[in-house]
Amino acid sequence: MAGPRPQQPQQSARSEPALTGDVELDAAMVALARAQNLSFTERIDSGERVHRLLQGRLGDLGRA
């Protein structure tokens, strides 16, 4: 018999993401969270911006 399922944290569409201290990335993450109430195209655009920023930051780590 299976036990109770663990509770998954639920994030409201209105909640803001945790800040990282990287001003540009934080702004992009906030825009992505806020875009969840917008059109699919706007959500994709916001997600791609975050993705590019994260790739750049990770690439910077490899050069450090």
Side-chain angles (χ1 to χ4, degrees), residues 10-28:
Q10 294 189 7
Q11 187 174 16
S12 160
R14 293 182 184 163
S15 66
E16 300 290 323
L19 298 177
T20 65
D22 180 316
V23 176
E24 189 176 10
L25 181 57
D26 289 343

Side-chain angles (χ1 to χ4, degrees), residues 12-16 30-40 42-43 46:
S12 160
R14 293 182 184 163
S15 66
E16 300 290 323
V30 167
L32 178 61
R34 291 179 179 167
Q36 299 313 299
N37 296 323
L38 302 176
S39 72
F40 183 72
E42 290 168 306
R43 292 190 312 252
S46 292

